[in-house]
């Protein structure tokens, strides 16, 4: 409104500098303005401003115009979670007890419920910034969540349809996300897409993108990867070699198998078990170290320089062994992994053998070998580090093995280290073993336990909350320094307990 | 050493009612069984709540006891002697020997949490000397207070003294507003452009002078101006509008006797006179079924305020309940949004009466189910115009839309009715997306506070939901 604008201008400049506008206007407003006190210019301005401002506010018309409204969302079938459960989520979204969020998401999905509508924007924002939570958030979004996400480009991570245009125009992170998504849903297309632009890709982009081939890896990728072994960038060659090692039928694996065939052999013992031990005829490994690390070997991913403490040739052997799936050996030699591990333990090159097999187990995710290696470590047949391997052992046996480690008083460090690898909801036995370990811990282990307990409490079985609180109280009573830690732990455990109880049908 | 804080849940004489669903009126009937959530709701702030939870472990307490009426304990703090904490459960009322100014302190919260959790560490059941003494003192004090109140009611008021005090105040206010008038004229004469560079003390100083002149309402408005100057694009317009409204107020006071009674009441209460609650309660009220539309809590420098908005189903009028809590004290629980309050309300005088007190309640709270509201944006704005015509200084108008769809335009959020008219939603970030999520693209009933430019949503209601409102702020 022109009059208002004039008044504002006058007021900004100051009525002594700018003459007040004559408030002449028609109708009732004009009459009112004419009656105002104009004895001083500033009064005229203030008075008119009061009247005109009111006039505008009281008489305002709403914004009009039909903007395209989104299609209403179809109704959800899954029930929404209770208000109390929603409050728990509200706390976690606000930053308190964020560690428990994955458990909340998992439990809600398992209960077949969805998040409350008012929390959807928070969950969608969370998924945008924390990619590791995305898989867990998706199941609890419900129809409403997907519908909502479709309307905000920030929440595109939810979308089912993949926009390949991103490959051309998107930034590094977006392209990587697209490739990963394609490798899940349409592997061939993913490979095609990368192959099409491979030559033009920036050198620092090639390795991360190639790593996406981890999912959906198959022999169809072999040719591309074999070619990548000759890439100019070291990182790319390393990724390619690692991926090819996972394809037992690949040329790299075949080459490696040929080489190792010449270097390793196993003679079966005539008898097994006690008899064999007594009679001294157990299986034995014959090991020949590789002579040289030639270009072909390096191309296949073997590094020349050993880490400190390793001899060159032993290092090369270890790497070569790690390239092949560990299941190759029992197949080739008709022996069990336990026999081979025991044999390795008696061999002079046991470090190379066991390191190689451990890495191979990890690379190829061989659960049989993982279990065998962990058991061997707990029985002190070997001294290889089992912390990486324990995750490959199936849950049930895993818990049993960790319980075993914890119960062994002489191996407290190992027990705690393995326990910390168990990042899944624990069963009753493991919870009890952990609590017992906590209670019995030596003064040497005090600092380690105190650091660890805050995270461990996230996994303890909430059904045993009574026992846990007792143990925590007992530990706190023992020494001063524990006070704070145990308070936090008790509260966290109680929160998890209440949260899960609320969701129970 | 600072006096140990003690207090009870009696903000004013009228709010003795309990807001638990299904419980009837009656003073002091707090829940007999406490849940952790209820206890934490008493905490004055987040930090206290957390600290209280931390102390809810038996290892901190040297002794713990509880009987039907009270709970007590001795908490080992950092000092040499443990703090003695006690709670009278009926009110609840707290007392603790710790030096904290917070209320209730973290020891009281911890103790009450232990009681709520029925901790096995609570071993005593006979109150020791220091608890029994406090409880009996409280009883004596309550009796004395009742006695004094009766005496005061009977006492003949000293009319002369009262009239003198009133005249003094009128003179002070008149002088203060005259000064305000000059100050406003100066600002406009020299120009608002210079206002942006004025220091905070410029506004604060004038506000203080108004408070000194016994016009605290005006002081508060001037305090707000500092924020307007810093509010970004368009601040000059907003500042001018506010200054003009203050000018209008000052001018109105000059001509007070010539204004209609209701307008006089508004002018006085804006300046800072308070109407006596006893007098208001003595009037005849409006009995109706009042839907609790929504509520909002705000923290001001020394006081916490809660606005609860109601709508009378029969009378078709809005009402506002104001609850205050000073200095870290917890707010008394109020009627939750979504409920139906059958009560007689008495309104404070004014040209568009909104603020009310509950004179009496007639039934338990029950869910309201649906929310009443204007059928269209146009109707809502017309009602707003009418209200503004009666009270030009109206800051918050209760605006309920019976059916609106949240939508976005150019990055701003609106609520549109089926005619295509839309109201702007106050920009507070996620609110727009939350509204959209709750509505699911369907029309929903929305209630909020309208300030003339934008609507700040306080609750969203959805057809057919049992737990309406579907969302509240």
């Amino acid at each position: 409104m022109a009059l208002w604008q004039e008044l504002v201008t006058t007021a900004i400049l100051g009525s002594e500098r700018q003459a007040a506008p004559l408030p002449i206007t028609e109708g009732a407003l004009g009459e009112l303005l004419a009656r105002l006190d104009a004895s001083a210019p500033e009064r005229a301005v203030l008075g008119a401003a009061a009247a005109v401002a009111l006039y505008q506010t009281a008489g305002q018309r709403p914004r009009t115009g039909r903007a395209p409204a989104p299609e209403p969302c179809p109704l959800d079938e899954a029930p929404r979670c209770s208000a109390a459960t929603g409050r728990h989520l509200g706390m976690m979204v606000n930053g308190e007890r964020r560690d428990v969020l994955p458990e909340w998401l998992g439990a809600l999905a398992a209960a077949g419920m969805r998040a409350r509508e008012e929390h959807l924007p928070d969950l969608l924002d969370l998924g945008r910034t924390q990619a590791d939570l995305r898989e867990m958030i998706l199941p609890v979004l419900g129809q409403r969540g997907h519908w909502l996400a479709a309307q905000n480009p920030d929440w595109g991570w939810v979308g089912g349809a993949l926009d390949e245009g991103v490959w051309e125009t998107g930034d590094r992170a977006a392209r990587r996300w697209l490739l990963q998504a394609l490798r899940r849903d349409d592997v061939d297309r993913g490979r095609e897409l990368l192959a099409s632009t491979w030559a033009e890709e920036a050198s620092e982009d090639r390795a991360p993108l190639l790593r996406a081939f981890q999912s959906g890896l198959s022999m169809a990728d072999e040719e591309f990867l074999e070619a990548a072994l000759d890439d100019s960038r070291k990182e790319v060659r390393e990724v390619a070699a690692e991926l090819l090692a996972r394809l037992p039928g690949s040329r790299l694996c075949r080459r490696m198998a040929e080489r190792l065939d010449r270097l390793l052999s196993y003679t079966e013992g005539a008898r097994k078990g006690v008899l064999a031990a007594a009679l001294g005829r157990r299986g034995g490994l014959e090991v020949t170290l590789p002579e040289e690390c030639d270009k072909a070997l390096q191309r296949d991913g073997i590094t020349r320089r050993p880490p400190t403490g390793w001899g060159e040739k032993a290092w090369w052997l270890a790497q070569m062994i790690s390239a092949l799936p560990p299941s190759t050996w029992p197949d080739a030699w008709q022996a069990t992994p336990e026999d081979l591990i025991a044999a390795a333990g008696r061999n002079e090159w046991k470090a190379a053998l066991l390191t190689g097999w451990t890495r191979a187990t990890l690379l190829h995710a061989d659960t049989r070998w993982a279990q065998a290696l962990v058991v061997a470590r707990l029985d002190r047949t070997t001294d290889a580090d089992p912390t990486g391997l324990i995750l490959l052992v199936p849950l049930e046996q895993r818990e049993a093995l960790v319980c075993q480690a914890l119960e062994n008083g002489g191996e407290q460090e190992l027990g705690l280290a393995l326990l910390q690898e168990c990042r899944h909801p624990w069963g009753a036995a493991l919870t009890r073993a952990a609590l017992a370990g906590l209670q019995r811990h030596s003064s040497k282990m005090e600092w380690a336990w105190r650091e660890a307990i805050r995270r461990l409490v996230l996994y303890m079985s909430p059904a045993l909350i009574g026992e846990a609180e007792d143990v925590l109280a007992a530990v706190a009573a023992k020494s001063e320094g524990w006070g704070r830690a145990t308070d936090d732990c008790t509260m966290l455990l109680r929160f998890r307990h209440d949260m899960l109880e609320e969701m129970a049908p | 050493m600072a006096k140990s804080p003690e207090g009870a849940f009696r903000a004013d004489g009228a709010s003795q009612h309990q807001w638990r669903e299904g419980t009837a009126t009656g003073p002091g009937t707090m829940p007999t069984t406490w849940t952790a959530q209820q206890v934490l709701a008493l905490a004055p702030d987040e930090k206290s709540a957390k600290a209280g939870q931390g102390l809810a472990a038996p290892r901190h307490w040297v002794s713990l006891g509880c009987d039907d009426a009270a709970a007590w304990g001795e908490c080992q703090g950092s000092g040499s002697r443990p703090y003695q904490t006690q709670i009278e459960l009926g009110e609840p009322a707290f007392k603790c020997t710790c030096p904290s100014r917070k209320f209730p302190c973290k020891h009281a919260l911890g103790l009450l949490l232990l009681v709520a959790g029925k901790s096995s560490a609570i071993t005593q059941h006979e109150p020791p000397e220091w608890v029994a003494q406090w409880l009996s003192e409280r009883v004596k004090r309550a009796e004395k207070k009742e006695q004094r109140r009766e005496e005061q009611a009977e006492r003949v008021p000293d009319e002369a003294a009262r009239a003198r005090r009133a005249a003094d105040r009128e003179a002070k206010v008149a002088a203060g507003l005259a000064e305000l008038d000059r100050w406003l004229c100066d600002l406009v004469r020299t120009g608002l452009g210079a206002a942006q560079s004025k220091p905070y003390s410029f506004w604060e100083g004038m506000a203080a002078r108004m408070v000194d002149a016994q016009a605290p309402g005006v002081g508060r408005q001037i305090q707000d101006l500092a924020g307007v100057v810093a509010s970004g694009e368009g601040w000059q317009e907003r500042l001018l509008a506010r200054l003009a409204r203050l000018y209008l107020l000052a001018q109105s006071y000059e001509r007070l006797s010539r204004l209609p009674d209701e307008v006089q009441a508004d002018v006085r209460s804006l300046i800072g006179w308070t109407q006596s609650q006893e007098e208001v309660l003595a009037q005849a009220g409006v009995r109706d079924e009042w839907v609790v539309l929504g509520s909002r809590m705000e923290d001001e420098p020394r006081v916490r305020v809660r606005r609860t908005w109601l709508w009378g189903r029969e009378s078709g009028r809005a009402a506002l309940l104001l609850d205050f809590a000073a200095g870290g004290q917890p707010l008394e629980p109020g009627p939750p949004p979504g409920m139906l309050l059958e009560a007689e309300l008495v309104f404070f005088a004014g040209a568009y009466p909104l603020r009310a007190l509950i004179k009496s309640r007639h039934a338990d709270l029950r869910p309201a189910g649906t929310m009443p509201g204007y059928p269209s944006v146009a109707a809502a704005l017309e009602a707003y115009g009418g209200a503004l015509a009666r009270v030009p200084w109206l800051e918050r108008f209760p605006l309920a839309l019976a059916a609106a769809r949240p939508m976005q335009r150019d990055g701003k959020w609106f609520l549109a009715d089926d005619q295509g008219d839309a109201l702007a939603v106050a920009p507070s970030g996620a609110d727009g997306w939350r509204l959209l999520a709750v509505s699911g693209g369907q029309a929903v009933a929305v209630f909020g506070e309208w300030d003339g430019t934008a609507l700040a949503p306080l609750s969203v209601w959805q057809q057919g939901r049992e737990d309406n409102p579907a969302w509240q702020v």
Side-chain angles (χ1 to χ4, degrees):
Chain A
M1 192 208 193
L3 179 56
W4 175 249
Q5 288 310 316
E6 284 172 38
L7 285 168
V8 172
T9 315
T10 307
I12 295 177
L13 293 172
S15 62
E16 66 189 1
R17 238 167 288 169
Q18 164 108 335
L22 294 172
I24 296 178
T25 185
E26 300 267 304
L29 180 62
E31 284 173 30
L32 174 66
L33 291 174
R35 283 156 51 195
L36 290 178
D37 172 7
S39 59
E42 50 272 16
R43 288 189 189 284
V45 170
L46 279 166
V52 175
L54 270 171
Y55 176 81
Q56 291 187 111
T57 315
Q60 69 181 287
R61 294 216 187 275
R63 298 273 217 110
T64 45
R66 289 196 174 276
E71 272 292 312
C73 174
L75 286 177
D76 270 292
E77 286 178 6
R80 74 169 73 85
C81 66
S82 72
T85 303
R87 270 195 296 276
H88 291 139
L89 175 62
M91 286 173 70
M92 291 188 277
V93 156
N94 278 334
E96 221 183 295
R97 310 218 178 288
R98 175 65 75 83
D99 295 334
V100 189
L101 184 57
E103 193 181 1
W104 186 95
L105 291 167
L108 195 67
M113 297 193 278
R114 61 184 168 90
R116 297 178 77 84
E117 290 84 348
E118 60 265 28
H119 293 124
L120 291 171
D122 297 317
L123 283 175
L124 291 170
D125 274 336
L126 211 56
R128 178 170 59 94
T129 49
Q130 302 203 258
D132 53 331
L133 285 174
R134 285 178 193 179
E135 290 299 320
M136 308 216 66
I137 294 179
L138 282 169
V140 304
L141 289 177
Q143 295 259 33
R144 189 67 63 91
H146 281 84
W147 173 88
L148 193 66
Q151 307 191 43
N152 188 348
D154 277 352
W155 297 329
W157 63 267
V158 170
L162 293 167
D163 175 20
E164 284 195 16
V166 169
W167 192 250
E168 303 287 320
T169 57
D171 66 7
R172 191 171 290 159
R175 295 176 82 226
R176 219 180 302 175
W177 174 242
L178 173 65
L179 188 58
Q180 279 163 355
L182 279 173
R183 288 294 297 188
R184 271 197 315 266
D185 304 328
D186 187 353
V187 182
D188 297 324
R189 183 71 194 119
R191 193 184 325 116
E192 267 172 46
L193 205 55
L194 186 59
S196 67
T197 56
W198 185 246
E200 289 95 43
E201 292 289 347
S203 50
E204 60 265 18
D205 284 338
R206 286 209 289 268
L209 287 171
L210 191 59
R211 220 167 270 135
F213 273 45
Q214 265 173 15
S215 67
L217 189 66
S218 72
M219 281 304 287
D221 300 313
E222 200 263 353
E223 192 160 332
F224 188 78
L225 292 170
E226 179 75 24
L229 283 176
D230 297 313
D231 195 276
S232 55
R233 198 156 163 111
K234 180 156 173 264
E235 221 187 323
V236 178
R237 298 198 296 269
E238 284 173 358
V239 174
E242 195 184 304
L243 292 173
L244 281 171
R246 293 210 208 152
L247 292 168
S250 68
R251 280 168 274 179
L252 183 143
C253 282
R254 262 184 276 142
R255 291 194 289 268
M256 211 60 89
E258 272 172 33
R259 293 180 190 117
L260 284 170
D261 210 31
R262 292 192 289 270
L263 299 174
L264 296 176
S265 68
Y266 176 75
T267 42
E268 203 181 312
R271 288 177 182 69
K272 301 228 180 359
V274 177
L275 221 46
L279 296 175
R281 289 220 269 172
R282 292 168 287 181
L285 283 164
E286 278 277 328
V287 177
T288 326
L289 292 179
E291 282 301 302
E292 54 164 5
C293 185
D294 60 12
K295 276 220 169 7
L297 200 55
Q298 288 181 49
R299 180 172 180 271
D300 282 344
I302 309 295
T303 52
R304 286 203 68 170
R305 255 276 207 74
T308 40
W310 279 84
E312 261 188 342
K313 300 188 178 149
W315 175 238
W316 300 337
L317 180 63
Q319 292 180 82
M320 289 165 77
I321 295 176
S322 66
L324 286 180
S327 48
T328 325
W329 308 106
D331 290 342
W333 294 329
Q334 302 295 316
T336 65
E338 285 78 12
D339 290 334
L340 296 177
I341 295 171
R346 293 188 293 270
N347 191 290
E348 86 177 284
W349 301 112
K350 69 175 175 200
L353 291 164
L354 289 169
T355 308
W357 278 332
T358 306
R359 288 170 127 215
T361 308
L362 288 168
L363 195 62
H364 294 90
D366 190 313
T367 56
R368 179 88 175 77
W369 271 81
Q371 202 162 338
L373 283 164
V374 174
V375 170
R377 170 64 179 84
L378 291 178
D379 291 341
R380 314 233 70 206
T381 321
T382 72
D383 50 13
D385 179 16
T387 42
L389 295 168
I390 194 74
L391 289 172
L392 289 169
V393 178
L395 228 49
E396 226 182 277
Q397 288 95 317
R398 193 188 311 176
E399 294 207 359
L401 288 171
V402 178
C403 282
Q404 194 185 330
L406 282 168
E407 271 148 33
N408 186 340
E411 293 267 36
Q412 283 191 42
E413 264 184 58
L414 178 63
L416 183 57
L418 287 175
L419 191 61
Q420 288 180 285
E421 291 296 318
C422 294
R423 288 184 281 270
H424 64 271
W426 296 344
L430 186 57
T431 307
R432 291 209 171 92
L435 289 170
L438 171 63
Q439 200 154 23
R440 281 195 324 250
H441 75 264
S442 67
S443 53
K444 188 173 72 152
M445 292 291 295
E446 175 157 334
W447 187 86
W449 271 99
R450 215 187 301 168
E451 282 301 301
I453 191 64
R454 262 177 248 258
R455 304 229 99 241
L456 294 176
V457 137
L458 286 171
Y459 307 108
M460 289 188 190
S461 166
L464 297 178
I465 188 170
E467 291 176 42
E469 285 181 341
D470 289 338
V471 170
L472 286 168
V475 170
K478 249 203 311 189
S479 83
E480 249 321 298
W482 275 94
R484 195 57 154 318
T486 50
D487 281 346
D488 289 343
C489 289
T490 319
M491 286 202 281
L492 187 59
L493 201 52
R494 191 137 282 287
F495 177 75
R496 284 184 58 224
H497 177 260
D498 292 342
M499 170 187 104
L500 290 171
E501 200 171 78
E502 180 64 36
M503 283 193 215
Chain B
M1 198 171 100
K3 185 162 174 278
S4 44
E6 163 184 8
F9 270 121
R10 284 192 194 275
D12 62 35
S15 10
Q16 289 182 36
H17 309 279
Q18 298 313 314
W19 297 114
R20 309 208 53 71
E21 221 187 301
T23 60
T25 63
T29 45
M30 268 296 180
T32 45
T33 47
W34 288 84
T35 66
Q37 213 174 342
Q38 285 162 354
V39 176
L40 290 174
L42 297 174
D45 55 38
E46 268 303 312
K47 231 169 141 235
S48 303
K50 266 201 125 176
Q53 280 178 306
L55 285 179
R59 67 182 192 90
H60 294 285
W61 297 84
V62 173
S63 71
L64 284 167
C66 174
D67 69 6
D68 285 337
W72 59 90
E74 290 173 293
C75 185
Q76 189 61 52
S78 46
S80 50
R81 296 188 62 221
Y83 298 126
Q84 292 178 329
T85 313
Q86 43 191 322
I87 306 175
E88 192 188 317
L89 293 170
E91 295 272 331
F94 309 99
K95 180 165 154 79
C96 182
T97 55
C98 73
S100 162
R101 285 187 199 288
K102 294 254 184 84
F103 198 75
C105 66
K106 60 182 179 179
H107 305 104
L109 286 171
L111 176 58
L112 200 50
L113 278 170
L114 284 167
V115 171
K118 299 193 188 0
S119 170
S120 51
I122 301 181
T123 46
Q124 297 177 5
H125 294 288
E126 271 296 317
E129 171 66 36
W130 52 277
V131 177
Q133 193 178 21
W134 179 63
L135 289 173
S136 73
E137 271 176 27
R138 283 184 57 77
V139 170
K140 258 187 268 170
R141 227 175 308 163
E143 286 173 1
K144 250 215 207 131
K145 203 169 170 192
E146 198 46 55
Q147 202 181 14
R148 230 183 305 141
R149 202 184 298 166
E150 284 171 16
E151 284 176 12
Q152 208 171 37
E154 291 171 358
R155 197 171 5 132
V156 176
D158 183 351
E159 278 300 333
R162 184 131 54 113
R164 213 181 322 123
R165 277 198 304 271
D168 277 345
R169 186 169 185 181
E170 301 274 347
K172 267 184 149 173
V173 169
L177 289 186
E179 196 184 334
L180 174 68
D181 181 272
R182 286 192 294 279
W183 184 77
L184 290 170
C185 288
D186 278 343
L187 263 173
V188 173
R189 196 180 324 113
T190 54
L192 301 185
Q196 208 171 26
S197 50
K198 293 253 198 281
Y200 186 68
S201 55
F202 174 73
W203 312 97
E204 207 185 19
M206 192 57 184
R209 299 179 71 77
M210 290 298 108
V211 170
D212 286 341
Q214 292 195 284
V218 180
R220 218 176 307 124
Q221 291 200 38
I222 297 181
Q223 194 82 289
D224 288 346
L225 293 178
V228 175
V229 173
S231 63
E233 198 185 308
W235 66 269
Q236 300 95 327
E237 287 193 45
R238 289 192 284 276
L239 183 63
L240 179 60
R242 293 238 191 171
L243 293 174
R245 271 216 305 256
L246 274 170
Y247 179 71
L248 186 61
L249 186 62
Q251 292 287 307
S252 304
Y253 184 72
E254 248 184 72
R255 306 170 173 65
L256 198 59
S257 48
R258 283 178 266 162
L259 297 172
D261 285 343
E262 320 87 71
V263 183
Q264 288 195 34
D266 280 322
V267 171
R268 281 191 184 278
S269 81
L270 276 160
I271 290 174
W273 269 279
T274 49
Q275 296 181 38
S276 138
Q277 295 209 355
E278 272 92 30
E279 283 182 21
V280 176
L281 282 167
Q283 302 165 18
V286 179
R287 184 175 163 161
D288 200 344
E289 289 181 344
W290 301 91
V291 179
V292 185
L293 293 170
S295 75
R296 187 188 193 105
M297 196 152 68
E298 267 172 4
D299 271 316
E300 288 178 17
R302 271 178 297 264
V303 70
R304 194 179 253 195
V305 186
R306 183 180 57 229
R307 297 190 292 276
T308 308
W309 293 98
L310 310 175
W311 187 274
R313 273 195 173 156
E314 289 274 331
S315 53
R317 67 187 290 185
L320 170 65
L321 301 175
L322 282 180
D323 292 296
F324 301 94
Q329 291 218 14
L331 272 169
E332 269 204 45
M339 291 292 151
L340 195 68
L341 171 68
E342 229 185 278
E344 184 181 347
L345 298 185
V346 280
F347 286 82
F348 286 72
Y352 191 79
L354 281 175
R355 189 173 171 204
L357 291 173
I358 299 178
K359 184 164 177 172
S360 60
R361 282 178 64 190
H362 304 284
D364 293 341
L365 287 175
R366 55 183 191 277
T370 54
M371 188 191 94
Y374 296 108
S376 66
V377 168
L381 286 179
E382 199 177 310
Y384 174 60
L388 208 57
R390 299 212 188 90
V391 185
W393 305 279
L394 189 63
E395 278 190 41
R396 288 182 200 94
F397 178 72
L399 202 154
L401 281 176
R405 256 173 260 265
M407 39 166 278
Q408 242 192 336
R409 216 186 282 158
D410 301 328
K412 298 203 183 51
W413 282 93
F414 294 87
L415 283 164
D417 65 10
D418 53 14
Q419 318 282 340
D421 295 332
L423 291 176
V425 174
S428 33
D431 265 358
W433 286 110
R434 236 178 276 279
L435 294 176
L436 187 62
V438 174
S439 75
Q442 312 269 1
V444 284
V446 181
F447 170 72
E449 292 172 335
W450 172 253
D451 68 357
T453 326
L455 183 71
L458 293 186
S459 67
V460 175
W461 302 50
Q462 229 169 4
Q463 272 275 18
R465 268 178 81 148
E466 291 168 359
D467 57 343
N468 263 326
W471 171 81
Q472 54 177 296
V473 76

